Amino acid sequence: MATDITEIKQRIEHEQRIRRISGGLGILAVLLITGLGMTYLGFLLADLVRQFGTWINFIGAFLKPNFVDFTSYTHQHDIGGLRAIWVSFTHPQYFVSTIADASVSSGSVLVSAAFVTILVGFCGTVIGFPLALVFGILGSERVTPFPFNFIFRGAMSTIRAVPALVWVLIYIPLTGINPYGAVLAIATDTIGNLGRLFTDELEEIDNGPIEAIRSTGAKRPQVVIFGMLSQVSNSFIAWTLYVLEINTRIAVSLGVVGAGGLGMYINLRLQTVSSASYARAAAGLVTVVVIVVTVELLSSRIRARLRPGEHERSGFFETIRGLGDTSRWLGSGNKN
C-alpha cells in the first residue's frame, strides 16, 4: 500500500515537473517568436528612446484642443479654445449655416465634418441593409437547402474578409476617394457582417411557430415571413443598430484616406508639423469620441428596449451617475 502511494506521489510530481517545463518552454517560445517578429519589423528600442522627447511634445500639444474650426463662424473670426463651443451653442444658426455652406469633402470645419461622418455611417448601413437581409435569409439552411445556402454564406464570408478600408480603394475607379465611395464601402461591408448575424439568428429560432404556419397550408414565402422573420424582427433591428455603431467608427477611419469627414479633418491637421495644428487635430479627436459615445448610448438604449432580457435598461443620466458608483467598478454593486 505504501508502495502504491509512493508511486502515485512520484507520478504526480513527474507530471507537475513536465507541466512546469512545458509551460516554461512555451513562454520562451512566445518570447522568442515575438523578438524575432519585432526584429523582422525593424523595431529598435534606441529609436524609441531617441524620439521620446518629440513624442512627449506631440502629446503635450494634444492636451490643449483648439476648437477654432468648430463652425464656419468661429473659423472665420478666429475664435478658439472652448469659447468656440460656447459661442456656437449660444448661436444655433451657426450650426445650420456651417452644414449648409461647407463643402462635404473639404474637412475644414468640425461640425460639417462630423455631419459627413454620421451621414456616411448611416447611409452605408441603410443601403447595405436590404442585401444583408436577403443574403442573411438565403444563407440560412432553414430557408435554402444545403449546399445551396453555402453560396450565400461564402459570398458573405468573402465580403467580410475584405476590410472596408480596402473596399473604398476598390471603388476608386467608380467614384474616386470621396464620401460617396465611403458609403458604398460601408454598405458592402454591412452586407457581409450584418447578413451573417441575420443568418446566425435565424438558425436559433423555435420550430413551433414555423410548424404552426405550415399547418395552415401557408406557402414557403409565407412561412419565412410569418413563421421565421416574425420571431427575429426585434433582434434584426438590434443587430442593425449595433452595426450602425461600428459603421460610424469605420466612417472615421475611411476619412483618414481621403473619404471626407472627421478622419480627413484630423489627417489634414496632422500633416502640418506645428503645435497649433496638433491642437486642432486634438479637437477633432474629442469630436470623434463625443460622436461615437453618443451613437453608442442611443443605440444601446434602443436595443435595451427591443431586447430587455439582454441589456440593462438604464437611462442616459442613470448611466452617467453610475460612473461615480465605485462599488460597480469593483463588481460588487447592484447591477439592476
Side-chain angles (χ1 to χ4, degrees):
M1 187 65 180
T3 304
D4 293 339
I5 294 176
T6 303
E7 290 179 354
I8 293 172
K9 183 180 178 182
Q10 289 176 346
R11 188 173 70 248
I12 293 174
E13 291 177 348
H14 179 69
E15 290 175 352
Q16 289 178 340
R17 193 179 306 115
I18 292 176
R19 195 177 298 120
R20 285 195 289 268
I21 294 173
S22 300
L25 291 175
I27 293 173
L28 287 176
V30 170
L31 292 176
L32 179 61
I33 293 172
T34 303
L36 291 174
M38 296 296 282
T39 302
Y40 180 80
L41 295 174
F43 173 79
L44 291 174
L45 185 60
D47 288 342
L48 286 183
V49 174
R50 188 165 49 250
Q51 293 296 327
F52 190 75
T54 304
W55 182 72
I56 289 296
N57 294 332
F58 178 81
I59 295 299
F62 259 76
L63 296 178
K64 302 173 183 176
N66 187 353
F67 290 89
V68 66
D69 297 326
F70 194 66
T71 60
S72 298
Y73 181 84
T74 59
H75 178 75
Q76 293 167 0
H77 293 82
D78 198 26
I79 301 173
L82 296 178
R83 183 168 173 264
I85 298 177
W86 171 255
V87 170
S88 299
F89 274 97
T90 52
H91 299 81
Q93 66 272 21
Y94 295 158
F95 287 98
V96 178
S97 61
T98 298
I99 293 173
D101 297 339
S103 172
V104 295
S105 58
S106 64
S108 58
V109 181
L110 276 172
V111 169
S112 63
F115 188 64
V116 169
T117 296
I118 295 172
L119 276 183
V120 167
F122 179 81
C123 293
T125 306
V126 172
I127 293 174
F129 177 82
L131 281 176
L133 184 62
V134 172
F135 276 63
I137 293 173
L138 296 178
S140 172
E141 193 173 352
R142 292 189 168 195
V143 177
T144 307
F146 179 83
F148 301 106
N149 65 320
F150 269 86
I151 296 174
F152 300 97
R153 285 180 176 246
M156 289 186 287
S157 297
T158 303
I159 291 172
R160 294 171 64 202
V162 180
L165 196 60
V166 176
W167 279 116
V168 76
L169 301 178
I170 293 174
Y171 283 123
I172 285 179
L174 181 65
T175 64
I177 299 183
N178 52 42
Y180 318 125
V183 169
L184 293 181
I186 290 178
T188 307
D189 197 57
T190 299
I191 295 170
N193 291 323
L194 190 58
R196 186 51 192 267
L197 292 172
F198 287 170
T199 299
D200 292 343
E201 197 70 37
L202 284 173
E203 299 293 350
E204 298 177 359
I205 59 177
D206 296 330
N207 282 322
I210 300 174
E211 296 301 328
I213 294 294
R214 280 176 180 162
S215 65
T216 63
K219 296 181 179 178
R220 191 168 183 78
Q222 293 173 317
V223 172
V224 173
I225 295 173
F226 299 107
M228 300 176 70
L229 296 184
S230 60
Q231 295 188 55
V232 294
S233 57
N234 283 347
S235 297
F236 275 18
I237 296 173
W239 281 123
T240 303
L241 291 170
Y242 175 67
V243 169
L244 175 62
E245 287 180 31
I246 298 173
N247 286 345
T248 304
R249 298 186 181 95
I250 293 176
V252 176
S253 61
L254 294 182
V256 175
V257 297
L262 285 170
M264 186 173 179
Y265 175 89
I266 295 170
N267 187 34
L268 290 175
R269 300 301 170 275
L270 290 178
Q271 288 178 3
T272 303
V273 183
S274 70
S275 297
S277 294
Y278 293 161
R280 293 186 178 193
L285 281 178
V286 172
T287 307
V288 168
V289 172
V290 171
I291 288 177
V292 170
V293 171
T294 302
V295 172
E296 185 174 345
L297 285 175
L298 291 174
S299 174
S300 299
R301 185 63 180 160
I302 297 173
R303 292 205 310 270
R305 288 188 177 278
L306 293 172
R307 307 170 77 172
E310 300 179 19
H311 299 272
E312 294 184 11
R313 299 190 61 177
S314 59
F316 174 78
F317 295 105
E318 287 82 359
T319 302
I320 297 298
R321 281 198 297 269
L323 294 176
D325 187 356
T326 55
S327 60
R328 296 187 65 182
W329 285 78
L330 298 174
S332 58
N334 184 11
K335 296 181 180 179
N336 297 324

